[in-house]
Structure formats: C-alpha cells, structure tokens
Amino acid sequence: MKRFFFLLLLLTLANLLFAQTRHTVSGYIVDSLNREKIFYATIGLLTPDSNAHAVAHTFSDATGKFVLEEIPSGDYVLKVSLVGYDLLTKPVTVGGEQKNVDLGEVGLKKVSGFLQEVQIKGEKPVYMVDGEKTLYNVSEDPTMQSGSAADALQNAPGVEVDVEGNVTLRGVSSVEIWINNKPSNMNAEALKQFIQQMPAGSIEKIEVITNPSARYSAQGSGGIINIVTASKIKKNSFLSFGVRGSSTPEITPFISYVYANEKFSISTYFHYSYSINKNKSESFRTILTDEGDTSTTTHSINQFRQFSHDFGLYINGSYTPDTMNSLYFWAGGYPGFGGYTYWDSTYHQEYIYNPSNRSYFNNQGQNTLGGGGYGGMWYEHKFNSKGHKISADMSFWTWGRKQTGDASRDYFYLDHLDKKQKQQNRYRSFGMNASLDYTIPYHKDGEIEIGVSGDYDPRLNYQRYDTLVFSTGEYVLDEIRFKDVRSRDGSFDAYATLQHRFGGFTLKGGLRTEYEIYNLLILNDPQYDVHKGYWGLYPSLHLSYRTKNMHNFKLSYTRRVNNPSGDDLCTRIDYGEDGYSTGNPDLRQTFTNSIEAGWTKYINKFGNIGLNAWFKNSKDEFSQQSDVAYSDFFGRIVTFTMPVNAGKSLNTGAELNVMYRLKAFMNIRFYANVYYMKSSFQFRKEETPYTVDNLGYSFRLNFWAKMWNCLEVNASANYSSKSVSMFTVTRPRYSIDAGLRAEFWKRRISIHLDVRDIFNWNKWGTDINNPYYTSNSTTWSSWSGRSIRAGITFKFGKMELEGAQAQAQGGQGGQSVGR
C-alpha cells in the first residue's frame, strides 16, 4: 500500500511538473526589406541534435502571425520557409517562468541564389481561401505541369471549360477572365486561343471570385476568374526551349529566356503553333405553325476543317530601384493566318408555304489573316511599410482579322435557287484603359482603398457579300446582308472600400459606381444607330473569420449588373441563308443580388477540405431567345434569334472540394458541384409565362503519384450533367484522362505523355424544345475527342528562375503577383 501511494505521488508530481513546463512560441513573419507581413509561411520548431525532429509546426496567417503551442522547456531551432525566400534558421530557448515566448518580427530575406532544400515539408495547399478569393495554387499541383491553361481552369472550383474553349462558373457563362489582376480585354476568340495555348506550368495560381466586392467591375453575374502567372524571382538567368504536340494534330515549338538582377528583370517568350481542328455534326430540325402543323423538316450532316498558323511574342519587364517604388511593363503580339473549309448535305422539305423539296449541298471556304497586340505600364509607390501606397497603370490592346472566301449552295431539285458568293469580312478593335488606386491605413487593423478607372474601345465590323448573277457572270453587292459598323464604347468607374480586422474577423464593405456608354454606328443604314448609357450604384459586404487552427469561414453579399450592348439593342435584321437575327430596343438591365457562405480547412497529414453555398436572384435576366416566324424576305416560316428580358431567375447550389494526401507524393482530389436554377419568362406576350427548372451537377476525381523521384503519374475522371435553359437542353459530358511526366538530368529535361478522353466519350449535343421549333444536334471535335499529347522541354540556367519565364506568357499580365 505504501508503494502504491508513493507511486501515485510521483505520478502526480510528474503531471504537475509537465503542466508547468508547457509554453507557447509566437511572432510575426515579415519581409526583411519592406517589413510587409507574409502569409502562409511554414514555421517549424526542431530539436537541435543531429537527429533533429519537429516538435511543432504551423503556418503564418493573413497578418503574418504564428503561434506554436504546448512546447516543453528546452533549446530548439526555429526554421521558417517560403518559396522565393531564403530558409531562416534561428535558435530559440523555451523555459523559465515566461509562459509565452514572443519573438516579435521574424524577417525573411528574398532568395538571391539557388533555393535551399527545405527540411520542413509544408507547401501551400492546392486549394485555399484568402478573403473573397478561392485560390487554386496551380504551381503546387504536379498533375497540371504538362497541361494547358484550359486544363488548369477545369480544376479550379466551380469552373468548366467546354470543347470550344468557352468558360463558365457554376453554370453561368457571363464570367470575366482577368490576367495578373487586370481584365484580359481580349475578344472571345482570342481569349479561347490564349486559354488553349498557354502552358499550365506558367501559372502560379487561379483566383476564383464568385461574389466580387466593389473593388471589381459590377458587370456580369458570373463572377471573376483571375489567372496569375508565376511570380518574379530575382537573380541570374534561365533559358528553356522545347516542343509539344498532339494527334489532333498540333505542334508547337517554343523558346523562353529570363534575365534578372536585384533591380531589373525581363522575360521573353516566343512560340509558333500549327494546328488542325476537325468537326463533324448531325442535326434534325422541325418547324411548326402556330396551329401545330409541320411547316419544315431538315436533316443535316456537315463537316468542318480548320487549320491555323499562330505566332506569339511576349515581353515583360520590371524595375525596382528601391523598396518603395516598382515599375512593371509588358507588351506582346500574336499574329496568325489560316483558313477553313465547310460543307454540309441537307435534306430540306417545305410543307405549308411553297411546298417543295429544297434539299441542297453547301460548300464554303475562307482564308484568314489576323492577329493582335497589347502593351502597358504599371507603377506603384509606397509611402511607408504599413500599407500606405498609390498605383497607376495604362494599357492598350488591339485586334484585327480579315477573311476572304467563297460560298456556294447547289439545290438538288431547284436549280434556279443555286447561289454563289464571294465574302469579305474585316474586324478591328483598338482599346485603351487607365486606372488609379490609392490605399491608406487608418488603423493598424484597417485600411481604406479608393480608385477610379476608365476605358475606351472603338471597333470596326465590315461584312460584304457579292452574289453571282448567272445570266451575266458578274458579281453584285448583296445590299441586304452588307454591313459596315463602327462601335464607340466607353466607361468610367469609381469605387471605395473599407476593411477592418477584429481579431480573427475581417470585415470589408464597399460601394462602386459605374457609367457605361454604347454607341453603335451603322454607316450603310444609319436609321438603326444606337446611343445608350447606363449608370448605377453597386454595394458589397464581405465578412471572413480565420481561427488559429486554420478554419476559414466567409459570408458575403454583392449587387451586380449586366448591361445590354449596342448589338443587343440594334433592330437591324441580319439575314442568314435560312433564318435571321435581330436586337431588341426594349432590353432592360439585369440586376443580380448574390449571397455566399463558405468554409475551408487545411488539415495536417490529410490535406484540405472546403464547402461553399450560394444564392443568386436576378431581375429582368436577358438571354437569346430562339423562335420561328413567317418572313416576307424568305417567303416561308424560318427560325430567328432575339435577346429578351426573360424575367426572374434564381441560382442556388453548393460545392465540395477535398484534397486527400495518401502519402507525401500521392494524393486524391475530389470536386463536386450541385446547383439548382429556376427562371420564369414570357414567351410570345400573348401566352402564359413559362417556368424552367434545372438541377445540375458535376464532379471531378483526380489521382496523382510521384515515383522514384522522377516519374509522375496522373489520371482523372470528369462528368457534367445536362443543363437546361430557355427551351434548350445541353446533354451530359464525361471523359477519362491519364498521363505520365518524367524529368531527367537534374530536372534539365522534362517529357510528358497524355491520353485525353481514353474511351472517346466526349461528344456534345443540344436539344431545343420550343413549342414551335424542335432541334437535335450532336457534334464531335478532334480537339475534344480522344487524342494523344506529348512534349519535351530543355532547361538551362538557375532552376529557381523556371517560374519567371511564365510572366512573358501571361497575356496582358506582367504586374507583380503581390499587387
């Protein structure tokens, strides 16, 4: 019994002693030069012996603060690491009566040589949340290093990229694409090419802003996707060159060079690309009269073949004379030429008006010469190291294209309707933008940001069609289809935001005002000119909370707008061969109120998990309506499209994002998105409103593993359910991909091999179920179907500069990632 009490006394004393010797170690991680707080640095506390092991580790939060808890008394080594900075080693003694060891500011020095090996493995999670942004750290995702920007976008939360390069966010297409914190200002076709050609390895991260604050434009309801290219790293030079290609076919040789010292850096990137795209499609269409009788039936089979030769030269540079001043500049050009051939064989039967068999064979070919360019400059001055700063930038962009070609239509039974045309189309735009942003801290935990911006974007659209008169053998101008248009669009915007931190809480409120003006001048038909202006106020409110153990919560509200363009408002009819399109002068602005909530958590030895939910309510939403009507021009019932205010709509849903690390070099990533969309719209004013309900979902499952320190294996499965809009259903899409990537000779040679859509499932189709018009179409494309892609890259120079070459590929970008 005495021994028992003695043992109990020893255990009690040991427990008390243990409780009295537990301490915390805290501090702030800052940049040693400008004293700015550093977010998400890895902090480890190790034993000082030769068999050093980590006693505790954590990450710095948004204010640079870190806390290591439950530390026994003793001598330790503090190690702090972050990509782009030298590894910091600092001795720390824990003990005595001081329970909390406050290290104050711990300064990190930016890398000046080859990156040292980091002993504490603590890379950024692939997915994380920073205020209103959800970040996909592409540079931390090894499965993407041999892919394209389109592949990387597919892995960003809520983002889908279809086979034609169109980007949607949570099923909504009106999403803005930004590059390095600035709007891309690219036309739709140039942006598609940019996304498909840009290597994913040149991207540092993709920021998805589903509910943008007043800092960003209020235009559109689809949110903002900001592609941030790899950050600037100082010192030395780096050269890489190689070639990549695919069985589509496509081949792209490229070369990149980077030079940098402590104050100046310049990045260049040049590529040439030759590609061929082949499409095959089949469609069925039926047109009904108002009484429900069949007026027209068609069955078409068509083929499309496009080839292109594209060049690109991009240059970015920076000059940082001191820690308070930074200057960045960028310029680039992307000329190209190519052409396409198109043919279709169509069975066409008319039953009501001029009953006849109007079956025909179409043949069309065009040659294209075009390209674009951009340039700009951004300057920032810091008044102090506490966040008081001002920045200004100016940029321009231009794009043009000239198309010439021939088209013919040969009717099987109605020879007098045969038609031959010569076509000439010219498009040109030249725009410019300027902005000024000012930030001033009013408190150590709060700041005010204000800014103004303006842009001007004139465009030309010239379309000429000359039709052959068979009796004379001469071509005459088709005045009905001829169009010579000038657009003069501009805007002036201003915003103010206020942000304050309360412990782990961050509250950000803002207000934005925008004035947009649209001028559409039709030189050959001025009665249809459009002059329209819109003005509005758009508030936003964002609340976020971060716990010490890295739980992240957010809640936000914004008001956004979608303005009709000059083309949407113009009532001039654009005639095709079997239908027409027109604008709607009665279109109203679409206003959207958005509420969003989310939670993310980075879990040590597991990975990360995130959950988001949203609700959007829109008034006077407008979309393209397809309908049928009798046309005097055609002498029969034909299809037409016209933008309309469909009415009210709501969009609500949730998404789950999980990253599970099986081992240090093996992980599984799962993303699921479920959304519900409901809208009511008036179709043909004399009829009762229609209601559309759509429950959609998509998921992606990715697996990645690295073996023998040089071979990477990845595989992914993707599925997107059908989507439903105004009388239109887009069928489900799904595919399975797999690939290998290997590096040799100390990472100076890299090769990759990928197989996309292994089972050749990735076809797409649409079904239109208008009460008076039904259509079913299925399309296969060489760009989206099964293909094999491979490439090889040679790298020379300091390897830490490998990421810097991507700055030159970042489109209009070039600004510092830290902006």
Side-chain angles (χ1 to χ4, degrees):
M1 183 65 70
K2 291 181 179 179
R3 290 178 180 177
F4 173 76
F5 281 113
F6 181 70
L7 179 60
L8 181 63
L9 178 62
L10 287 178
L11 290 174
T12 303
L13 291 174
N15 186 60
L16 291 174
L17 182 62
F18 179 81
Q20 291 173 356
T21 56
R22 294 287 170 169
H23 305 266
T24 62
V25 177
S26 62
Y28 290 86
I29 307 300
V30 300
D31 188 295
S32 61
L33 292 178
N34 56 30
R35 317 311 295 176
E36 288 187 350
K37 309 299 184 184
I38 294 179
F39 171 57
Y40 227 88
T42 303
I43 300 99
L45 199 63
L46 287 77
T47 57
D49 51 72
S50 58
N51 297 319
H53 66 276
V55 177
H57 80 275
T58 186
F59 304 95
S60 58
D61 64 17
T63 65
K65 186 176 181 180
F66 71 91
V67 179
L68 299 167
E69 299 179 313
E70 298 294 318
I71 308 300
S73 298
D75 294 326
Y76 299 97
V77 175
L78 182 78
K79 292 198 173 184
V80 184
S81 65
L82 183 67
V83 174
Y85 290 85
D86 288 326
L87 175 68
L88 180 141
T89 302
K90 179 183 179 70
V92 175
T93 298
V94 177
E97 297 181 357
Q98 186 179 7
K99 190 172 182 180
N100 179 30
V101 179
D102 187 356
L103 301 179
E105 290 188 347
V106 179
L108 292 185
K109 183 180 179 181
K110 288 191 174 181
V111 170
S112 58
F114 190 86
L115 292 180
Q116 301 180 44
E117 180 181 357
V118 179
Q119 298 183 30
I120 303 297
K121 184 64 177 178
E123 70 277 8
K124 293 180 182 178
V126 174
Y127 298 99
M128 57 190 291
V129 172
D130 182 15
E132 62 190 313
K133 304 174 183 177
T134 299
L135 307 183
Y136 167 40
N137 290 307
V138 181
S139 60
E140 300 293 336
D141 186 355
T143 68
M144 281 294 104
Q145 300 312 304
S146 61
S148 66
D151 300 322
L153 284 168
Q154 289 279 25
N155 280 333
V159 179
E160 297 285 346
V161 183
D162 69 15
V163 293
E164 295 180 329
N166 299 303
V167 180
T168 60
L169 178 59
R170 293 174 175 172
V172 179
S173 60
S174 56
V175 59
E176 288 188 54
I177 304 297
W178 286 36
I179 300 171
N180 286 335
N181 307 310
K182 297 290 291 181
S184 64
N185 289 319
M186 294 184 187
N187 66 80
E189 290 303 317
L191 185 59
K192 291 177 186 179
Q193 291 297 320
F194 173 79
I195 290 173
Q196 291 168 346
Q197 294 293 333
M198 181 182 184
S202 68
I203 301 173
E204 179 183 349
K205 60 185 175 181
I206 295 175
E207 301 175 344
V208 180
I209 310 172
T210 53
N211 208 16
S213 68
R215 172 65 177 82
Y216 302 94
S217 170
Q219 293 290 317
S221 58
I224 294 172
I225 298 173
N226 183 30
I227 301 174
V228 180
T229 56
S231 59
K232 175 173 71 69
I233 302 177
K234 295 183 177 180
K235 207 80 171 177
N236 299 313
S237 61
F238 181 83
L239 171 70
S240 70
F241 59 89
V243 62
R244 57 182 182 271
S246 79
S247 60
T248 51
E250 176 187 3
I251 186 167
T252 303
F254 61 89
I255 185 170
S256 174
Y257 178 71
V258 178
Y259 172 79
N261 57 34
E262 291 295 332
K263 294 185 177 182
F264 176 77
S265 72
I266 188 166
S267 305
T268 61
Y269 177 80
F270 173 79
H271 77 88
Y272 160 75
S273 178
Y274 172 71
S275 63
I276 294 177
N277 179 31
K278 299 177 183 179
N279 282 355
K280 298 178 181 179
S281 66
E282 183 176 15
S283 63
F284 299 85
R285 185 179 65 170
T286 301
I287 296 176
L288 306 177
T289 66
D290 291 350
E291 293 74 26
D293 299 322
T294 300
S295 175
T296 306
T297 59
T298 64
H299 174 206
S300 297
I301 298 175
N302 67 64
Q303 290 191 11
F304 173 86
R305 183 183 185 275
Q306 180 185 38
F307 73 94
S308 63
H309 299 265
D310 298 299
F311 303 84
L313 175 62
Y314 312 111
I315 301 174
N316 287 339
S318 67
Y319 177 62
T320 309
D322 51 52
T323 60
M324 295 299 179
N325 296 279
S326 300
L327 177 67
Y328 298 89
F329 56 91
W330 59 94
Y334 44 95
F337 65 93
Y340 72 83
T341 57
Y342 167 88
W343 67 261
D344 73 82
S345 179
T346 299
Y347 168 81
H348 182 158
Q349 182 68 49
E350 287 291 333
Y351 297 97
I352 304 297
Y353 300 96
N354 301 313
S356 58
N357 186 331
R358 301 172 63 93
S359 300
Y360 57 82
F361 179 82
N362 260 343
N363 190 18
Q364 183 175 339
Q366 281 195 351
N367 293 315
T368 301
L369 177 64
Y374 62 87
M377 183 177 297
W378 178 79
Y379 171 74
E380 181 183 73
H381 173 71
K382 297 177 182 178
F383 297 97
N384 54 42
S385 61
K386 298 180 180 180
H388 187 193
K389 59 186 179 181
I390 188 171
S391 65
D393 72 72
M394 295 186 64
S395 61
F396 75 90
W397 60 93
T398 182
W399 181 80
R401 181 175 66 188
K402 181 179 180 180
Q403 294 176 314
T404 57
D406 300 281
S408 65
R409 174 174 289 197
D410 297 316
Y411 287 87
F412 299 152
Y413 307 105
L414 304 173
D415 292 343
H416 65 283
L417 295 179
D418 288 352
K419 188 175 185 179
K420 289 188 177 181
Q421 278 188 330
K422 292 184 179 295
Q423 302 175 354
Q424 182 184 137
N425 302 324
R426 286 185 286 129
Y427 307 91
R428 187 171 65 243
S429 69
F430 180 87
M432 58 191 71
N433 172 275
S435 64
L436 182 68
D437 301 287
Y438 178 70
T439 303
I440 181 170
Y442 66 88
H443 186 270
K444 66 181 182 67
D445 293 319
E447 65 182 25
I448 296 174
E449 186 177 22
I450 58 176
V452 294
S453 64
D455 65 70
Y456 177 62
D457 187 12
R459 297 187 302 275
L460 175 149
N461 182 1
Y462 178 90
Q463 299 182 30
R464 181 187 177 101
Y465 303 88
D466 294 299
T467 304
L468 176 65
V469 179
F470 289 96
S471 60
T472 64
E474 296 180 350
Y475 284 88
V476 298
L477 176 65
D478 186 341
E479 296 184 359
I480 296 296
R481 295 181 173 87
F482 174 65
K483 182 165 62 175
D484 190 2
V485 179
R486 304 292 187 273
S487 298
R488 303 286 187 267
D489 300 341
S491 69
F492 178 80
D493 311 326
Y495 73 91
T497 65
L498 185 150
Q499 178 175 288
H500 196 92
R501 296 185 179 91
F502 307 87
F505 287 94
T506 300
L507 180 65
K508 183 178 182 179
L511 183 65
R512 186 179 187 89
T513 180
E514 294 185 351
Y515 179 70
E516 310 285 331
I517 187 168
Y518 301 93
N519 290 296
L520 187 71
L521 309 175
I522 304 178
L523 303 188
N524 63 303
D525 216 346
Q527 62 177 315
Y528 295 104
D529 289 354
V530 173
H531 305 280
K532 189 70 174 180
Y534 299 98
W535 176 82
L537 290 172
Y538 309 101
S540 67
L541 184 64
H542 289 73
L543 175 66
S544 62
Y545 177 66
R546 185 193 303 271
T547 66
K548 292 181 179 180
N549 54 358
M550 299 303 288
H551 284 278
N552 299 270
F553 301 91
K554 66 177 183 179
L555 178 65
S556 63
Y557 163 80
T558 63
R559 183 174 188 255
R560 300 184 63 76
V561 67
N562 197 2
N563 293 324
S565 67
D567 291 325
D568 293 327
L569 299 168
C570 179
T571 58
R572 185 178 190 271
I573 297 176
D574 290 331
Y575 288 101
E577 294 299 330
D578 297 289
Y580 65 92
S581 63
T582 185
N584 182 355
D586 298 323
L587 281 180
R588 299 178 298 276
Q589 295 170 282
T590 300
F591 293 99
T592 301
N593 295 294
S594 302
I595 299 175
E596 183 170 328
W599 165 79
T600 59
K601 165 67 175 173
Y602 181 77
I603 304 173
N604 189 31
K605 297 182 180 180
F606 175 87
N608 57 274
I609 182 171
L611 183 65
N612 290 283
W614 70 88
F615 175 83
K616 296 182 179 181
N617 183 31
S618 298
K619 180 183 178 183
D620 291 330
E621 183 174 25
F622 65 86
S623 60
Q624 290 291 334
Q625 175 182 288
S626 296
D627 200 358
V628 299
Y630 178 82
S631 169
D632 292 329
F633 179 79
F634 292 99
R636 53 192 169 91
I637 298 177
V638 297
T639 60
F640 73 92
T641 59
M642 181 178 69
V644 296
N645 286 108
K648 296 180 179 179
S649 70
L650 65 86
N651 181 347
T652 185
E655 58 188 12
L656 173 68
N657 198 9
V658 179
M659 172 73 137
Y660 175 49
R661 296 190 180 276
L662 297 168
K663 295 181 179 179
F665 297 101
M666 184 180 297
N667 64 57
I668 294 176
R669 183 169 62 250
F670 177 73
Y671 172 79
N673 176 28
V674 180
Y675 60 90
Y676 173 72
M677 302 176 70
K678 181 177 181 180
S679 61
S680 60
F681 60 92
Q682 193 79 29
F683 177 70
R684 296 192 177 183
K685 294 182 179 179
E686 68 276 16
E687 298 184 2
T688 57
Y690 282 79
T691 300
V692 175
D693 294 275
N694 177 35
L695 178 63
Y697 53 91
S698 64
F699 70 80
R700 293 191 295 271
L701 182 65
N702 299 79
F703 169 80
W704 171 83
K706 187 172 185 178
M707 300 175 290
W708 307 302
N709 202 35
C710 66
L711 179 64
E712 298 177 11
V713 181
N714 65 81
S716 64
N718 309 274
Y719 180 85
S720 297
S721 70
K722 71 176 184 180
S723 61
V724 181
S725 58
M726 185 186 298
F727 297 136
T728 302
V729 178
T730 302
R731 298 175 203 158
R733 292 175 49 226
Y734 40 89
S735 65
I736 294 178
D737 310 324
L740 300 171
R741 182 172 181 265
E743 292 186 325
F744 306 98
W745 195 25
K746 298 181 179 180
R747 293 184 61 233
R748 298 191 182 278
I749 299 179
S750 173
I751 62 173
H752 74 268
L753 176 67
D754 300 291
V755 181
R756 305 297 174 90
D757 191 18
I758 295 174
F759 300 102
N760 206 27
W761 291 334
N762 203 4
K763 301 176 182 179
W764 79 95
T766 57
D767 302 308
I768 298 176
N769 296 301
N770 183 299
Y772 309 100
Y773 168 56
T774 61
S775 174
N776 310 99
S777 64
T778 302
T779 303
W780 175 90
S781 170
S782 61
W783 282 4
S784 63
R786 179 170 51 207
S787 64
I788 299 175
R789 306 184 183 189
I792 182 169
T793 303
F794 299 90
K795 313 170 188 179
F796 299 95
K798 289 292 184 178
M799 301 303 291
E800 75 271 15
L801 283 173
E802 179 179 348
Q805 63 175 305
Q807 289 188 52
Q809 305 171 43
Q812 168 176 308
Q815 294 94 325
S816 169
V817 173
R819 272 195 61 188

